[in-house]
Structures are given as C-alpha cells and as structure tokens.
C-alpha cells in the first residue's frame, strides 16, 4: 500500500525555512561551479560550503532596510561565512535563485500530488470492481435514462483521473528547468556552462533560453493541470452529493460515530466533505486564471507575477492535496445502498425500456422510426401520468402488440441486457490502462 503523505509534508515544502534552504543550496551549487572553473579558490569554496547558513530573523532584519528579500538573504548568508562570503551570488541576478528554487519547490509538490492521485485511483479501481455488476439507474439532465452499473460510474471517474496523471507528468517535465543566465538572459556575467553545471547538481535541466525569468507559460500549464484535477474531484463530489439526497439515497459519504450533521436537527446527515471539495475546486479554477495572467510580462520581466505566485503556488498545492485526501476518504468510506439503487430503478415502472421497445418495433415491423417513436411515447406518457406500469400499457397498445409478441415483450424487459457488455468494458479498460 502506498503511504499517505500528510499535510505536514506539504507545509514543510512551502515553509520559509525550506525556501531559504533551497536558496542556500543553489548559491552553494553556483559557488561549486565557479570553483570547478578555478574562479573561486578551492579552500574558499570549502569554507563557503561548510559555513554558509541563514537566520530567518536576521534576513527579516536586513530586509526591513533593503526591502529586497534576496539581497537580505545573500547578505545574511555572506555574514555567516565571513570574508569568503564575497563570492556568494557571483554573477547572479535575484531571479536566477528565485526561479530555480521555485522549480524545485513545484517539482517536490507535484510528487506529493502524484502520490495522492495514485492512492485515490487505486481506491476507485478497487471499488469499481466491487460494484461492477451493481445495477443503478443512469441519469441525463437529472432524469432517469437507462440502467448502468455503479462500478461503471466509478470506472469513469478513474478514467478522468488517468488523464490528469498524464497531463501532470508533462507539466512536471516542463517546469523541471533552472536558469542561471543573469539579468536579461545573456549570460554576460555568468557563462552558460555555469548554468548547466548548477542545474545538473540540482537535478534540473538548464533552460534552452530565458529572459531574467523562466517563462510563465509552463507554470500556467501546471496550475491549469492542478485545476483540472480539482474539476475531476468536484465531479466525483457533486455526484456523491446528488446520490446522498433523501429522495435518492443510493449512498452516504462517511459519517463517524459522534458526528453531528446539524446544530438544530439531530436527524441530519449532510454531504459536508463532498460540498467542501466542490467549494475548493472553485479556488483552484480562480488560480488558473491568475497563472495565465502571469504569462505576459513587460519586456524581459517585471514582478507583477511574483506577488501572486507567492500566494497561489503554496495555496494551490495545499488545497489540491487536501482535496485528494478528502476524496480518498469519500471513496474508501462511502456506504453504498444497492437496495435503494434497485428501488430507484423501479421508480418509473419500467419506462427506461422505451428505447429497446422502439428499436424492436423498427427492426421487426414495417413502422418508420417516427411512427414507432409516436406509439412508444404514447404509452410512456401514460405511464408518466400514473395510468399503469409501462409493460402493461404497451400490452394495451395495439400498434405495439401487432408487431411484438408477449414473449418478445418479456425478452425486451429483461434487465440482464444492460449487463451483457460490462465485463468487456472492464476488460478493455484494463488493456488500455
């Protein structure tokens, strides 16, 4: 079983401590690359590597004067080293550190999301096979359509998440880049080989070309991918909310011992987890818009993107991770009521067989489709009006019985027809998975 990542691990990734730790790692990697080019003496580099450290309170103290977080950080780091600290940040601009560190933060965060997605998908697949043959009514426009199985519904959710995994994999690849190319990307003070070496040390690719920043279309794509995961989770949660309605009651989300649904009404069991997921999906979609707004900047860069990214990136991953964990709780803990599914199947007194009757009339009689539709609809509307069950009303319809025998009508009203290809659907799905 895949271990669950806790919310603490996402907190660690986006903590101030981890941010400065990554900045330190990048600055040391740059110093190492310069040392290997014999620009920084080896003994000086070794002292930098040994002594370089930071104090968050000291960074804040310096920043109160400089009003520049990277300058404050570099000054603090240099102080911790001493005289050799003059080599720190050699040939760099702030975004060299910021954007390269952001790539590492995003990459780590994506890995947690990937793990959580895998957990949810495993749970869905297990539950889908458990209910592969559990018949329930399918609905279009919120109205009963034809029977399907609950397992098929779950498998469809799994299929969407599978596409999310594929999209996320590509997005992760596209943000796996660092840049150490200087103020406008010309490498005027830091040659390309330094960038290549630093990125190699950090497990990143070096950007083929950059301005002062890594271009934000890749980041927007990642935000969009996370937002799409949110829509998949919302789709699951919204369906659970519908199926938990009193008039439907085909399942319940988990309801623990001692839990209370309402401060006023002790009988209430509300789909609060599913509703929470639906609400949070709206936040993710909002961040998607901000991500796209960050793509077009003035000339080689401005910092209009920076302020928003400091908010949306940590929020995005915290929210998505939480939603995935809650969705997993829903899927693993949902209580399914096959007896109520059967009850709802029978609620329209056989109306969902209408298409089978229509096709049989067209195939076996001399009726046009329009005429056949008219005769079937006539009996169906009478059924809707409460004049009897659909099969009995069809037996009274001479236009139908002149074509379809009693035996044939009974064959048409055999529920097993809706299960005949379910095994094939599941087998085919596993082949393409």
């Amino acid at each position: 079983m895949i271990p669950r990542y806790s919310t603490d691990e996402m907190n660690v990734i986006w903590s101030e401590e981890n941010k400065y730790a990554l900045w330190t790692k990048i600055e040391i990697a740059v110093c190492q690359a310069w040392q290997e080019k014999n620009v920084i003496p080896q003994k000086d580099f070794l002292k930098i590597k040994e002594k370089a450290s930071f104090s968050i309170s000291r960074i804040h103290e310096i920043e109160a004067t400089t009003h520049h977080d990277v300058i404050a950080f570099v000054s603090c780091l240099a102080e911790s080293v001493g005289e050799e600290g003059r080599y720190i940040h050699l040939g760099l601009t702030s975004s060299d550190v910021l954007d390269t560190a952001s790539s590492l933060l995003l990459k780590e965060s994506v890995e947690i999301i990937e793990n959580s997605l895998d957990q949810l998908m495993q749970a869905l697949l297990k539950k889908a096979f458990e209910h592969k043959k559990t018949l329930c009514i399918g609905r279009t426009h919120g109205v009963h359509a034809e029977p399907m199985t609950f397992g098929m519904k779950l498998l469809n959710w799994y299929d969407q998440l599978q596409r999310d995994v594929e999209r996320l994999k590509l997005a992760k690849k596209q943000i796996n880049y660092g840049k150490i190319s200087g103020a406008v990307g010309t490498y005027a003070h830091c040659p390309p080989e330094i960038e290549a070496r630093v990125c190699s040390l950090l497990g990143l690719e070096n950007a083929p070309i950059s301005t002062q920043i890594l271009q934000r279309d890749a980041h927007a794509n990642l935000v969009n991918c996370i937002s799409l995961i949110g829509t998949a989770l919302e789709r699951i949660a919204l369906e659970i909310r519908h199926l938990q309605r009193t008039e439907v009651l085909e399942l319940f989300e988990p309801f623990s011992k001692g839990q209370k649904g309402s401060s006023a009404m002790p009988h209430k069991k509300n789909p609060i987890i599913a509703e929470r997921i639906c609400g949070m999906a709206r936040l993710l979609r909002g961040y998607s818009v901000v991500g796209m707004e960050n793509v077009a900047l003035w000339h080689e860069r401005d910092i209009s993107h920076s302020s928003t990214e400091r908010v949306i990136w940590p929020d995005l991953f915290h929210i998505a991770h939480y939603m995935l964990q809650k969705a997993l709780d829903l899927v693993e803990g949902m209580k399914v009521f096959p007896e109520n599914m059967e009850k709802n199947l029978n609620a329209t007194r056989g109306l969902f067989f209408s298409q089978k009757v229509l096709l049989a009339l067209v195939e076996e009689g001399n009726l046009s489709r329009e005429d056949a539709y008219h005769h079937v609809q006539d009996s169906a509307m009478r059924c809707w009006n409460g004049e009897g069950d659909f099969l009995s009303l069809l037996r009274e319809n001479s236009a139908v019985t002149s074509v379809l025998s009693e035996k044939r009508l009974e064959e048409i009203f055999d529920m097993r027809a809706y299960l005949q290809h379910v095994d094939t659907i599941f087998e085919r799905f596993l082949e393409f998975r």
Side-chain angles (χ1 to χ4, degrees), residues 26-82:
I26 291 165
E27 293 284 5
I28 291 174
V30 172
C31 289
Q32 179 176 337
W34 281 123
Q35 186 274 315
E36 291 171 358
K37 296 282 288 182
N38 297 316
V39 172
I40 299 178
Q42 185 176 25
K43 64 180 180 60
D44 292 347
F45 166 68
L46 291 176
K47 185 174 180 183
I48 291 170
K49 186 177 180 181
E50 177 188 357
K51 297 288 187 179
S53 61
F54 61 85
S55 161
I56 293 177
S57 61
R58 178 58 180 150
I59 293 171
H60 290 171
E61 182 183 354
I62 299 170
E63 189 179 354
T65 300
T66 63
H67 298 286
H68 195 295
D69 56 352
V70 177
I71 291 174
F73 164 76
V74 171
S75 298
C76 176
L77 209 61
E79 283 179 356
S80 72
V81 173

Side-chain angles (χ1 to χ4, degrees), residues 1 4 116-130 154 158 327-334:
M1 180 165 176
R4 289 197 188 192
S116 295
L117 267 171
D118 196 15
Q119 290 175 331
L120 176 58
M121 291 171 71
Q122 287 188 26
L124 273 174
L125 198 61
K126 179 181 178 183
K127 194 76 76 170
F129 273 91
E130 181 182 334
L154 297 169
Y158 180 101
L328 181 59
D329 290 341
L330 282 180
V331 171
E332 287 184 335
M334 71 170 65

Side-chain angles (χ1 to χ4, degrees), residues 276-290:
R276 196 180 308 160
I277 289 172
C278 289
M280 297 177 105
R282 298 168 189 171
L283 287 172
L284 297 187
R285 285 196 289 278
Y287 293 153
S288 183
V289 173
V290 178

Side-chain angles (χ1 to χ4, degrees), residues 391-411:
L391 179 56
S392 297
L393 292 169
L394 287 171
R395 286 170 174 152
E396 296 173 7
N397 190 326
S398 58
V400 173
T401 55
S402 65
V403 176
L404 304 176
S405 66
E406 176 64 23
K407 180 181 178 183
R408 183 70 182 102
L409 280 172
E410 289 178 359
E411 290 172 353

Side-chain angles (χ1 to χ4, degrees), residues 373-425:
Y373 194 104
H374 169 75
H375 294 308
V376 176
Q377 189 181 44
D378 179 66
S379 295
M381 292 304 105
R382 291 179 63 197
C383 181
W384 272 116
N385 291 333
E387 297 179 35
D389 67 83
F390 189 44
L391 179 56
S392 297
L393 292 169
L394 287 171
R395 286 170 174 152
E396 296 173 7
N397 190 326
S398 58
V400 173
T401 55
S402 65
V403 176
L404 304 176
S405 66
E406 176 64 23
K407 180 181 178 183
R408 183 70 182 102
L409 280 172
E410 289 178 359
E411 290 172 353
I412 289 170
F413 276 71
D414 187 346
M415 191 81 76
R416 289 174 297 181
Y418 297 102
L419 294 172
Q420 61 182 320
H421 299 300
V422 171
D423 285 330
T424 300
I425 292 170

